[in-house]
Amino acid sequence: TSLNSNVDNKIDSKVKSYIISSANYQLLKEKVREINAVPSHELAIINALAVDLNQSQLAQLQQALDVKVSHNYSVELTGGKAWGKRKWQPKSTVPKYIEADSAHAARNFGDGITIGFLDTGLDQLQGTSSGLGLSTDLYGRDKFWGTYDAINNTVSNYSNEDSGHGTHVASIAGNADYDVYGNVYGVAPNAALVGIKAFDAEGKATYADVIRGIDWALQVKEQINLRVLNMSFGGQQRSYYWDDPLNQAVMKAWQAGIVVVASAGNKGPEPMTIGVPGNVPYIITVGAMTDNYTESDLSDDKVATFSAAGPTPAGFVKPEIVAPGGHLAGLMAYNTQIVSEHPEYHDGGLYFEMSGTSQAAAVVSGVAALMLMQEPTLTPDEVKCRLMDSAHAAMTSEGKLAYSVFQQGSGVVNAKDALQSTATDCANQALNIEQDLSGTQHFYGPANIDDKGNFYV
Protein backbone atom coordinates (compact mmCIF):
# COMPACT_ATOMS: atom_id res chain seq x y z
CA THR A 1 0.00 0.00 0.00
CA SER A 2 2.78 2.46 0.79
CA LEU A 3 4.04 2.01 -2.78
CA ASN A 4 0.60 2.81 -4.16
CA SER A 5 0.21 5.93 -2.06
CA ASN A 6 3.61 7.11 -3.31
CA VAL A 7 2.41 6.74 -6.89
CA ASP A 8 -0.80 8.61 -6.03
CA ASN A 9 1.15 11.41 -4.42
CA LYS A 10 3.37 11.73 -7.48
CA ILE A 11 0.38 11.91 -9.81
CA ASP A 12 -1.35 14.39 -7.54
CA SER A 13 1.65 16.69 -7.22
CA LYS A 14 1.94 16.96 -11.01
CA VAL A 15 0.80 20.46 -11.89
CA LYS A 16 -0.67 21.35 -15.26
CA SER A 17 -1.81 24.63 -16.78
CA TYR A 18 -5.55 24.74 -17.48
CA ILE A 19 -8.03 27.23 -18.86
CA ILE A 20 -11.13 26.99 -16.69
CA SER A 21 -14.35 28.80 -17.48
CA SER A 22 -17.66 29.15 -15.69
CA ALA A 23 -20.92 31.00 -16.27
CA ASN A 24 -20.30 32.72 -12.93
CA TYR A 25 -16.90 34.37 -13.35
CA GLN A 26 -16.77 36.00 -9.90
CA LEU A 27 -17.65 32.74 -8.16
CA LEU A 28 -14.98 30.96 -10.21
CA LYS A 29 -12.37 33.43 -8.93
CA GLU A 30 -13.50 32.82 -5.33
CA LYS A 31 -13.41 29.04 -5.64
CA VAL A 32 -9.93 29.12 -7.19
CA ARG A 33 -8.76 31.23 -4.22
CA GLU A 34 -10.31 28.70 -1.81
CA ILE A 35 -8.18 25.86 -3.19
CA ASN A 36 -5.03 28.00 -2.73
CA ALA A 37 -4.38 28.50 -6.43
CA VAL A 38 -3.29 31.75 -8.07
CA PRO A 39 -4.41 32.36 -11.68
CA SER A 40 -1.65 33.23 -14.16
CA HIS A 41 -4.19 34.98 -16.44
CA GLU A 42 -7.64 36.49 -15.87
CA LEU A 43 -9.44 35.95 -19.17
CA ALA A 44 -12.68 37.85 -18.61
CA ILE A 45 -13.40 37.85 -22.34
CA ILE A 46 -14.40 34.17 -22.08
CA ASN A 47 -15.26 34.08 -18.31
CA ALA A 48 -12.14 32.04 -17.68
CA LEU A 49 -8.95 31.83 -15.68
CA ALA A 50 -5.65 30.25 -16.70
CA VAL A 51 -4.34 28.48 -13.62
CA ASP A 52 -1.80 25.81 -12.68
CA LEU A 53 -3.47 23.01 -10.70
CA ASN A 54 -2.66 19.52 -9.48
CA GLN A 55 -5.20 16.69 -9.81
CA SER A 56 -6.77 17.07 -6.38
CA GLN A 57 -7.17 20.86 -6.79
CA LEU A 58 -8.83 20.28 -10.14
CA ALA A 59 -11.17 17.68 -8.61
CA GLN A 60 -12.04 20.05 -5.72
CA LEU A 61 -12.86 22.84 -8.16
CA GLN A 62 -15.03 20.57 -10.31
CA GLN A 63 -16.98 19.51 -7.22
CA ALA A 64 -17.46 23.08 -6.02
CA LEU A 65 -18.64 24.60 -9.30
CA ASP A 66 -19.91 23.77 -12.78
CA VAL A 67 -16.78 24.49 -14.83
CA LYS A 68 -15.48 23.79 -18.30
CA VAL A 69 -11.85 22.63 -18.30
CA SER A 70 -9.41 22.85 -21.19
CA HIS A 71 -5.64 22.44 -21.32
CA ASN A 72 -3.64 25.61 -21.92
CA TYR A 73 -2.51 24.45 -25.36
CA SER A 74 0.20 26.00 -27.49
CA VAL A 75 -0.02 27.61 -30.92
CA GLU A 76 2.65 28.42 -33.51
CA LEU A 77 3.20 31.03 -36.17
CA THR A 78 2.40 30.18 -39.78
CA GLY A 79 5.26 32.03 -41.47
CA GLY A 80 8.67 30.52 -41.46
CA LYS A 81 8.70 28.92 -44.87
CA ALA A 82 11.60 31.12 -45.85
CA TRP A 83 11.88 30.74 -49.57
CA GLY A 84 13.15 33.74 -51.41
CA LYS A 85 16.03 35.10 -53.37
CA ARG A 86 18.59 37.37 -51.85
CA LYS A 87 18.44 40.68 -53.64
CA TRP A 88 18.94 44.22 -52.49
CA GLN A 89 15.65 45.91 -51.54
CA PRO A 90 13.30 43.68 -53.53
CA LYS A 91 10.51 45.09 -55.69
CA SER A 92 7.07 45.87 -54.33
CA THR A 93 4.70 43.50 -56.16
CA VAL A 94 1.66 42.96 -53.94
CA PRO A 95 -0.28 46.27 -54.17
CA LYS A 96 -0.19 46.16 -57.96
CA TYR A 97 -1.01 42.45 -58.14
CA ILE A 98 -4.17 42.79 -56.01
CA GLU A 99 -4.98 46.21 -57.60
CA ALA A 100 -4.61 48.12 -54.33
CA ASP A 101 -2.70 50.67 -56.44
CA SER A 102 -6.08 51.88 -57.76
CA ALA A 103 -7.10 52.70 -54.16
CA HIS A 104 -3.76 54.47 -53.65
CA ALA A 105 -4.35 56.53 -56.81
CA ALA A 106 -7.65 57.64 -55.23
CA ARG A 107 -5.73 58.64 -52.04
CA ASN A 108 -7.08 55.75 -50.01
CA PHE A 109 -4.14 54.46 -47.99
CA GLY A 110 -6.11 53.06 -45.04
CA ASP A 111 -5.79 56.29 -43.03
CA GLY A 112 -7.30 56.30 -39.55
CA ILE A 113 -7.81 52.53 -39.32
CA THR A 114 -5.70 50.60 -36.80
CA ILE A 115 -4.63 47.02 -37.54
CA GLY A 116 -3.56 44.89 -34.59
CA PHE A 117 -0.97 42.15 -35.13
CA LEU A 118 -1.26 39.31 -32.65
CA ASP A 119 2.25 38.04 -33.16
CA THR A 120 5.85 38.30 -31.92
CA GLY A 121 5.88 42.08 -31.45
CA LEU A 122 6.75 44.94 -33.82
CA ASP A 123 10.01 46.72 -34.57
CA GLN A 124 9.55 50.37 -35.55
CA LEU A 125 11.69 49.94 -38.62
CA GLN A 126 12.12 52.76 -41.13
CA GLY A 127 12.53 51.86 -44.78
CA THR A 128 15.74 52.18 -46.68
CA SER A 129 15.42 55.30 -48.80
CA SER A 130 12.36 57.24 -47.75
CA GLY A 131 12.72 57.24 -43.97
CA LEU A 132 9.13 55.93 -43.95
CA GLY A 133 8.18 52.46 -42.80
CA LEU A 134 6.22 51.15 -39.87
CA SER A 135 6.30 54.11 -37.51
CA THR A 136 5.33 56.90 -39.91
CA ASP A 137 2.85 57.07 -42.78
CA LEU A 138 3.32 58.45 -46.30
CA TYR A 139 2.81 62.00 -44.99
CA GLY A 140 5.40 61.56 -42.22
CA ARG A 141 2.78 61.32 -39.46
CA ASP A 142 3.28 58.94 -36.54
CA LYS A 143 1.13 55.82 -36.93
CA PHE A 144 2.60 53.41 -34.38
CA TRP A 145 0.56 52.72 -31.24
CA GLY A 146 3.29 50.72 -29.51
CA THR A 147 3.07 47.14 -28.31
CA TYR A 148 1.03 45.33 -25.70
CA ASP A 149 3.04 42.43 -24.31
CA ALA A 150 0.44 39.77 -23.47
CA ILE A 151 3.13 37.47 -22.05
CA ASN A 152 4.14 39.96 -19.34
CA ASN A 153 0.91 42.02 -19.35
CA THR A 154 2.70 45.33 -20.03
CA VAL A 155 2.34 48.13 -22.58
CA SER A 156 5.27 49.97 -24.14
CA ASN A 157 5.50 52.75 -26.70
CA TYR A 158 8.78 51.50 -28.09
CA SER A 159 9.22 48.02 -29.42
CA ASN A 160 11.59 45.14 -29.31
CA GLU A 161 11.14 42.06 -31.36
CA ASP A 162 13.38 39.03 -31.13
CA SER A 163 11.74 36.91 -33.83
CA GLY A 164 11.19 39.14 -36.88
CA HIS A 165 7.90 37.49 -37.85
CA GLY A 166 5.53 40.14 -36.45
CA THR A 167 7.44 42.99 -38.09
CA HIS A 168 7.52 41.19 -41.44
CA VAL A 169 3.79 40.46 -41.39
CA ALA A 170 2.91 44.02 -40.32
CA SER A 171 5.04 45.53 -43.07
CA ILE A 172 3.16 43.62 -45.78
CA ALA A 173 -0.05 45.27 -44.59
CA GLY A 174 1.26 48.68 -43.60
CA ASN A 175 4.81 49.49 -44.78
CA ALA A 176 4.95 53.10 -46.04
CA ASP A 177 8.39 52.68 -47.65
CA TYR A 178 8.89 52.77 -51.44
CA ASP A 179 10.90 50.43 -53.62
CA VAL A 180 13.48 51.73 -56.11
CA TYR A 181 10.75 52.15 -58.75
CA GLY A 182 8.70 54.44 -56.52
CA ASN A 183 6.05 51.82 -55.68
CA VAL A 184 4.87 51.64 -52.09
CA TYR A 185 5.26 48.27 -50.33
CA GLY A 186 2.27 48.24 -47.99
CA VAL A 187 -1.31 47.45 -49.01
CA ALA A 188 -2.56 50.09 -46.53
CA PRO A 189 0.55 52.22 -45.91
CA ASN A 190 -1.21 54.83 -43.78
CA ALA A 191 -3.05 52.38 -41.51
CA ALA A 192 -2.00 52.70 -37.89
CA LEU A 193 -0.31 49.65 -36.39
CA VAL A 194 -0.33 48.13 -32.94
CA GLY A 195 1.65 45.10 -31.83
CA ILE A 196 0.11 42.52 -29.53
CA LYS A 197 2.98 40.29 -28.50
CA ALA A 198 1.93 36.79 -27.45
CA PHE A 199 4.63 34.76 -29.21
CA ASP A 200 8.24 34.28 -28.18
CA ALA A 201 11.37 34.46 -30.37
CA GLU A 202 10.78 30.84 -31.43
CA GLY A 203 7.28 31.68 -32.65
CA LYS A 204 5.47 29.79 -29.90
CA ALA A 205 2.66 30.93 -27.59
CA THR A 206 0.18 29.55 -25.08
CA TYR A 207 -3.57 29.84 -25.46
CA ALA A 208 -3.68 31.96 -22.30
CA ASP A 209 -1.30 34.61 -23.69
CA VAL A 210 -3.12 34.77 -27.02
CA ILE A 211 -6.54 35.09 -25.34
CA ARG A 212 -5.16 37.81 -23.04
CA GLY A 213 -3.96 39.63 -26.18
CA ILE A 214 -7.44 39.44 -27.75
CA ASP A 215 -8.99 40.65 -24.48
CA TRP A 216 -6.68 43.69 -24.52
CA ALA A 217 -7.59 44.43 -28.15
CA LEU A 218 -11.26 44.65 -27.15
CA GLN A 219 -10.43 46.97 -24.24
CA VAL A 220 -8.59 49.52 -26.45
CA LYS A 221 -10.69 49.07 -29.60
CA GLU A 222 -12.58 52.40 -29.36
CA GLN A 223 -9.63 54.38 -28.05
CA ILE A 224 -7.31 53.57 -30.99
CA ASN A 225 -9.94 52.60 -33.61
CA LEU A 226 -8.68 49.04 -33.79
CA ARG A 227 -10.87 47.64 -36.58
CA VAL A 228 -8.76 44.76 -37.93
CA LEU A 229 -6.95 42.01 -36.03
CA ASN A 230 -4.39 39.92 -37.93
CA MET A 231 -3.75 36.40 -36.63
CA SER A 232 -0.92 34.78 -38.58
CA PHE A 233 -0.71 31.63 -36.48
CA GLY A 234 -2.33 28.28 -35.98
CA GLY A 235 -2.77 25.47 -33.53
CA GLN A 236 -3.98 21.92 -33.80
CA GLN A 237 -7.74 21.39 -33.93
CA ARG A 238 -8.76 19.31 -30.93
CA SER A 239 -12.52 19.86 -30.89
CA TYR A 240 -15.34 21.46 -32.80
CA TYR A 241 -14.70 25.19 -33.22
CA TRP A 242 -17.16 26.22 -30.48
CA ASP A 243 -15.50 24.15 -27.75
CA ASP A 244 -12.06 25.74 -28.14
CA PRO A 245 -11.32 28.59 -25.67
CA LEU A 246 -9.08 30.45 -28.12
CA ASN A 247 -11.81 30.29 -30.77
CA GLN A 248 -14.36 31.59 -28.27
CA ALA A 249 -12.18 34.67 -27.71
CA VAL A 250 -11.81 35.13 -31.48
CA MET A 251 -15.61 34.95 -31.87
CA LYS A 252 -15.98 37.59 -29.13
CA ALA A 253 -13.68 39.91 -31.10
CA TRP A 254 -15.75 39.41 -34.27
CA GLN A 255 -18.97 39.97 -32.34
CA ALA A 256 -17.50 43.22 -30.95
CA GLY A 257 -17.01 44.59 -34.47
CA ILE A 258 -13.38 43.70 -35.17
CA VAL A 259 -12.57 42.16 -38.56
CA VAL A 260 -10.50 39.08 -37.68
CA VAL A 261 -8.20 37.80 -40.42
CA ALA A 262 -6.44 34.47 -39.79
CA SER A 263 -3.99 32.42 -41.80
CA ALA A 264 -5.14 29.03 -43.06
CA GLY A 265 -1.84 27.45 -41.99
CA ASN A 266 1.05 25.87 -43.87
CA LYS A 267 0.14 22.20 -43.46
CA GLY A 268 -1.45 21.82 -46.94
CA PRO A 269 -2.31 20.79 -49.52
CA GLU A 270 -4.28 17.88 -48.01
CA PRO A 271 -7.92 18.48 -47.00
CA MET A 272 -8.85 19.21 -43.38
CA THR A 273 -5.50 20.83 -42.55
CA ILE A 274 -6.84 24.23 -41.38
CA GLY A 275 -5.72 25.07 -37.84
CA VAL A 276 -7.14 27.01 -34.89
CA PRO A 277 -8.39 29.80 -35.13
CA GLY A 278 -8.72 29.49 -38.93
CA ASN A 279 -11.51 26.95 -38.38
CA VAL A 280 -13.82 29.58 -36.84
CA PRO A 281 -16.62 29.90 -39.41
CA TYR A 282 -17.31 33.60 -38.76
CA ILE A 283 -13.86 35.03 -39.48
CA ILE A 284 -11.87 35.49 -42.70
CA THR A 285 -9.38 32.66 -43.21
CA VAL A 286 -6.72 33.20 -45.86
CA GLY A 287 -4.77 30.72 -47.96
CA ALA A 288 -1.66 31.55 -50.00
CA MET A 289 -1.04 31.69 -53.73
CA THR A 290 2.17 32.46 -55.57
CA ASP A 291 3.06 34.21 -58.83
CA ASN A 292 5.86 31.68 -59.43
CA TYR A 293 8.39 34.56 -59.70
CA THR A 294 6.67 35.83 -62.88
CA GLU A 295 4.72 38.82 -61.60
CA SER A 296 3.42 39.96 -65.00
CA ASP A 297 2.50 36.48 -66.28
CA LEU A 298 -0.69 35.38 -64.55
CA SER A 299 -0.96 32.08 -66.41
CA ASP A 300 1.44 30.22 -64.11
CA ASP A 301 0.06 31.54 -60.81
CA LYS A 302 -0.98 28.79 -58.46
CA VAL A 303 -2.19 28.04 -54.97
CA ALA A 304 0.95 27.44 -52.88
CA THR A 305 1.52 23.76 -52.14
CA PHE A 306 1.91 24.47 -48.41
CA SER A 307 -1.42 26.34 -48.14
CA ALA A 308 -3.80 24.47 -45.83
CA ALA A 309 -7.17 23.34 -47.13
CA GLY A 310 -10.67 22.75 -45.77
CA PRO A 311 -13.23 21.68 -44.97
CA THR A 312 -13.28 22.00 -41.19
CA PRO A 313 -14.52 19.16 -38.94
CA ALA A 314 -17.81 21.06 -38.59
CA GLY A 315 -18.18 21.07 -42.39
CA PHE A 316 -17.31 24.69 -43.22
CA VAL A 317 -15.59 25.79 -46.40
CA LYS A 318 -12.16 27.22 -45.59
CA PRO A 319 -10.22 29.26 -46.59
CA GLU A 320 -12.67 31.96 -47.73
CA ILE A 321 -10.05 33.62 -49.89
CA VAL A 322 -6.42 33.37 -51.02
CA ALA A 323 -3.81 36.11 -51.34
CA PRO A 324 -0.17 36.46 -52.43
CA GLY A 325 1.95 34.52 -49.94
CA GLY A 326 4.99 33.45 -51.93
CA HIS A 327 8.38 35.19 -51.47
CA LEU A 328 6.95 38.48 -50.15
CA ALA A 329 9.38 41.26 -49.27
CA GLY A 330 8.96 42.69 -45.80
CA LEU A 331 10.92 44.63 -43.21
CA MET A 332 12.97 42.63 -40.75
CA ALA A 333 15.89 43.67 -38.58
CA TYR A 334 19.11 41.77 -39.30
CA ASN A 335 19.60 40.80 -35.62
CA THR A 336 16.36 38.79 -35.30
CA GLN A 337 16.00 35.05 -34.82
CA ILE A 338 14.64 34.36 -38.32
CA VAL A 339 17.45 36.24 -40.07
CA SER A 340 20.07 34.48 -37.96
CA GLU A 341 18.60 31.14 -39.11
CA HIS A 342 18.10 32.16 -42.77
CA PRO A 343 20.62 34.91 -43.62
CA GLU A 344 20.41 33.92 -47.29
CA TYR A 345 16.94 35.52 -47.59
CA HIS A 346 17.93 38.88 -46.08
CA ASP A 347 19.24 41.68 -48.27
CA GLY A 348 21.77 42.80 -45.68
CA GLY A 349 19.77 46.00 -45.23
CA LEU A 350 16.21 45.77 -43.95
CA TYR A 351 14.32 43.51 -46.34
CA PHE A 352 13.68 39.82 -46.03
CA GLU A 353 11.72 37.53 -48.37
CA MET A 354 9.38 35.06 -46.77
CA SER A 355 6.56 32.75 -47.81
CA GLY A 356 3.56 31.54 -45.87
CA THR A 357 -0.14 31.94 -45.18
CA SER A 358 1.03 34.40 -42.47
CA GLN A 359 2.03 36.78 -45.23
CA ALA A 360 -1.18 36.13 -47.20
CA ALA A 361 -3.32 36.98 -44.16
CA ALA A 362 -1.51 40.33 -43.82
CA VAL A 363 -2.37 41.20 -47.43
CA VAL A 364 -6.08 40.73 -46.66
CA SER A 365 -5.80 42.70 -43.40
CA GLY A 366 -4.45 45.59 -45.47
CA VAL A 367 -7.36 45.35 -47.93
CA ALA A 368 -9.83 45.34 -45.01
CA ALA A 369 -8.26 48.60 -43.77
CA LEU A 370 -8.77 50.19 -47.21
CA MET A 371 -12.41 49.08 -47.20
CA LEU A 372 -13.00 50.49 -43.72
CA MET A 373 -11.37 53.79 -44.56
CA GLN A 374 -13.69 54.15 -47.55
CA GLU A 375 -16.77 53.02 -45.60
CA PRO A 376 -16.20 53.12 -41.83
CA THR A 377 -19.68 51.77 -41.02
CA LEU A 378 -19.05 48.34 -42.56
CA THR A 379 -19.54 45.45 -40.14
CA PRO A 380 -17.13 42.50 -40.08
CA ASP A 381 -19.79 40.37 -41.85
CA GLU A 382 -20.08 43.01 -44.60
CA VAL A 383 -16.30 43.22 -45.05
CA LYS A 384 -16.15 39.42 -45.36
CA CYS A 385 -19.10 39.37 -47.79
CA ARG A 386 -17.53 41.96 -50.12
CA LEU A 387 -14.09 40.34 -50.03
CA MET A 388 -15.61 37.04 -51.10
CA ASP A 389 -17.97 38.60 -53.64
CA SER A 390 -15.10 40.40 -55.38
CA ALA A 391 -12.42 37.65 -55.29
CA HIS A 392 -11.10 36.27 -58.58
CA ALA A 393 -11.46 32.48 -58.76
CA ALA A 394 -8.79 30.54 -60.66
CA MET A 395 -10.42 28.85 -63.66
CA THR A 396 -9.22 26.39 -66.29
CA SER A 397 -9.37 27.14 -70.01
CA GLU A 398 -12.56 24.99 -70.06
CA GLY A 399 -14.20 27.38 -67.58
CA LYS A 400 -14.04 24.99 -64.62
CA LEU A 401 -12.55 25.78 -61.20
CA ALA A 402 -8.79 25.22 -61.33
CA TYR A 403 -8.80 24.43 -57.59
CA SER A 404 -11.49 23.15 -55.31
CA VAL A 405 -13.36 25.62 -53.15
CA PHE A 406 -11.59 24.00 -50.16
CA GLN A 407 -8.24 25.18 -51.54
CA GLN A 408 -9.00 28.60 -53.02
CA GLY A 409 -12.28 29.61 -51.37
CA SER A 410 -13.80 32.37 -53.49
CA GLY A 411 -10.46 33.05 -55.19
CA VAL A 412 -7.69 35.66 -55.03
CA VAL A 413 -8.37 38.87 -53.14
CA ASN A 414 -8.82 41.97 -55.32
CA ALA A 415 -8.76 45.34 -53.57
CA LYS A 416 -10.19 47.35 -56.46
CA ASP A 417 -13.24 45.11 -56.85
CA ALA A 418 -13.70 44.77 -53.08
CA LEU A 419 -13.88 48.57 -52.81
CA GLN A 420 -16.43 48.71 -55.63
CA SER A 421 -18.55 45.84 -54.33
CA THR A 422 -21.96 46.68 -52.90
CA ALA A 423 -22.81 43.08 -52.00
CA THR A 424 -24.69 42.53 -48.76
CA ASP A 425 -26.00 39.53 -46.82
CA CYS A 426 -23.57 37.06 -48.39
CA ALA A 427 -21.45 36.00 -45.41
CA ASN A 428 -22.36 34.22 -42.16
CA GLN A 429 -26.07 34.36 -43.01
CA ALA A 430 -26.89 30.92 -41.62
CA LEU A 431 -24.98 31.56 -38.39
CA ASN A 432 -25.83 33.28 -35.11
CA ILE A 433 -22.78 34.27 -33.12
CA GLU A 434 -24.74 35.21 -30.00
CA GLN A 435 -26.38 31.77 -29.77
CA ASP A 436 -23.06 30.13 -30.59
CA LEU A 437 -21.21 31.90 -27.79
CA SER A 438 -23.98 31.33 -25.25
CA GLY A 439 -24.00 27.62 -26.11
CA THR A 440 -27.68 27.52 -27.05
CA GLN A 441 -26.98 26.55 -30.67
CA HIS A 442 -23.91 25.54 -32.69
CA PHE A 443 -23.60 25.30 -36.44
CA TYR A 444 -22.44 22.96 -39.16
CA GLY A 445 -21.32 23.98 -42.63
CA PRO A 446 -22.37 22.67 -46.06
CA ALA A 447 -19.43 20.34 -46.72
CA ASN A 448 -20.03 16.63 -47.17
CA ILE A 449 -17.94 13.60 -48.07
CA ASP A 450 -18.91 11.06 -50.75
CA ASP A 451 -18.39 7.29 -50.61
CA LYS A 452 -15.03 7.65 -52.39
CA GLY A 453 -13.77 9.98 -49.66
CA ASN A 454 -14.03 13.18 -51.73
CA PHE A 455 -15.36 16.36 -50.17
CA TYR A 456 -18.07 18.40 -51.84
CA VAL A 457 -20.46 21.23 -50.98
Side-chain angles (χ1 to χ4, degrees):
T1 52
S2 62
L3 191 63
N4 273 349
S5 61
N6 266 350
V7 171
D8 288 346
N9 286 342
K10 263 192 182 151
I11 290 170
D12 190 48
S13 63
K14 205 169 180 190
V15 168
K16 285 186 180 159
S17 178
Y18 298 98
I19 293 176
I20 297 178
S21 61
S22 167
N24 189 331
Y25 183 50
Q26 292 310 323
L27 191 57
L28 173 65
K29 288 205 267 194
E30 278 172 40
K31 295 295 178 193
V32 166
R33 261 199 309 274
E34 283 172 22
I35 58 167
N36 297 321
V38 180
S40 60
H41 299 67
E42 295 197 358
L43 307 171
I45 185 175
I46 55 167
N47 288 336
L49 301 172
V51 60
D52 293 349
L53 302 174
N54 61 34
Q55 287 302 303
S56 71
Q57 286 174 308
L58 181 61
Q60 278 175 275
L61 192 58
Q62 286 172 313
Q63 278 166 356
L65 191 63
D66 183 16
V67 291
K68 200 164 162 189
V69 180
S70 167
H71 287 280
N72 183 14
Y73 294 118
S74 61
V75 276
E76 294 189 352
L77 298 172
T78 53
K81 292 214 173 273
W83 301 304
K85 290 177 180 170
R86 181 170 178 149
K87 47 188 182 283
W88 180 256
Q89 206 190 350
K91 279 171 74 173
S92 161
T93 56
V94 171
K96 189 173 179 211
Y97 186 91
I98 63 164
E99 295 194 90
D101 54 352
S102 68
H104 300 169
R107 319 305 293 165
N108 177 352
F109 300 109
D111 305 62
I113 305 298
T114 299
I115 310 173
F117 293 90
L118 192 50
D119 217 293
T120 53
L122 283 185
D123 266 328
Q124 287 190 67
L125 293 178
Q126 303 295 4
T128 32
S129 52
S130 58
L132 307 171
L134 297 186
S135 53
T136 45
D137 71 9
L138 296 170
Y139 309 127
R141 300 173 302 199
D142 182 28
K143 62 167 193 170
F144 185 69
W145 283 109
T147 299
Y148 169 66
D149 184 333
I151 302 166
N152 300 306
N153 195 22
T154 55
V155 179
S156 65
N157 288 327
Y158 62 92
S159 54
N160 64 327
E161 207 224 320
D162 302 323
S163 159
H165 186 276
T167 303
H168 194 272
V169 165
S171 76
I172 286 161
N175 183 6
D177 191 22
Y178 294 94
D179 72 6
V180 291
Y181 301 98
N183 299 314
V184 72
Y185 281 104
V187 175
N190 283 6
L193 310 174
V194 67
I196 303 172
K197 179 183 170 76
F199 291 79
D200 64 17
E202 303 289 327
K204 292 184 169 59
T206 65
Y207 264 33
D209 287 338
V210 174
I211 295 167
R212 181 150 68 183
I214 297 169
D215 201 335
W216 181 84
L218 261 65
Q219 290 168 41
V220 300
K221 171 172 85 76
E222 304 301 327
Q223 188 189 332
I224 67 173
N225 202 31
L226 198 162
R227 300 292 307 273
V228 184
L229 191 51
N230 187 88
M231 299 188 179
S232 289
F233 58 84
Q236 190 186 332
Q237 292 191 53
R238 293 178 169 89
S239 62
Y240 283 122
Y241 72 88
W242 58 79
D243 262 335
D244 187 286
L246 196 161
N247 283 349
Q248 288 164 1
V250 167
M251 286 157 66
K252 284 274 191 185
W254 188 270
Q255 186 187 33
I258 295 176
V259 176
V260 179
V261 180
S263 52
N266 297 342
K267 293 190 161 65
E270 295 306 312
M272 295 193 80
T273 45
I274 305 279
V276 170
N279 66 330
V280 174
Y282 298 91
I283 68 170
I284 301 157
T285 304
V286 186
M289 51 75 57
T290 173
D291 66 8
N292 249 337
Y293 291 100
T294 56
E295 65 204 70
S296 46
D297 176 8
L298 304 184
S299 68
D300 63 351
D301 295 1
K302 59 181 200 272
V303 171
T305 49
F306 58 76
S307 188
T312 71
F316 287 94
V317 174
K318 289 283 177 176
E320 277 82 9
I321 200 162
V322 293
H327 63 95
L328 298 199
L331 291 166
M332 198 186 291
Y334 66 89
N335 58 350
T336 51
Q337 181 86 12
I338 291 175
V339 176
S340 70
E341 289 169 7
H342 299 282
E344 69 274 23
Y345 306 120
H346 200 268
D347 71 350
L350 288 168
Y351 281 88
F352 186 88
E353 290 208 344
M354 204 168 175
S355 302
T357 54
S358 280
Q359 283 63 32
V363 172
V364 174
S365 290
V367 176
L370 299 177
M371 293 166 75
L372 290 163
M373 185 204 166
Q374 178 179 285
E375 211 170 321
T377 56
L378 289 177
T379 65
D381 282 354
E382 286 166 336
V383 170
K384 178 176 177 176
C385 164
R386 291 183 182 184
L387 281 167
M388 292 174 70
D389 170 67
S390 58
H392 294 193
M395 310 297 280
T396 64
S397 51
E398 290 85 51
K400 294 195 168 86
L401 283 178
Y403 297 95
S404 94
V405 68
F406 302 116
Q407 288 173 292
Q408 69 167 336
S410 304
V412 184
V413 67
N414 186 278
K416 182 183 176 186
D417 292 349
L419 289 162
Q420 287 173 353
S421 172
T422 54
T424 51
D425 303 335
C426 65
N428 301 345
Q429 289 306 292
L431 306 174
N432 184 318
I433 201 162
E434 203 173 319
Q435 287 179 358
D436 221 335
L437 280 164
S438 68
T440 51
Q441 193 185 356
H442 300 303
F443 301 91
Y444 293 90
N448 277 297
I449 186 163
D450 66 19
D451 47 19
K452 291 193 180 109
N454 300 312
F455 292 102
Y456 67 96
V457 172

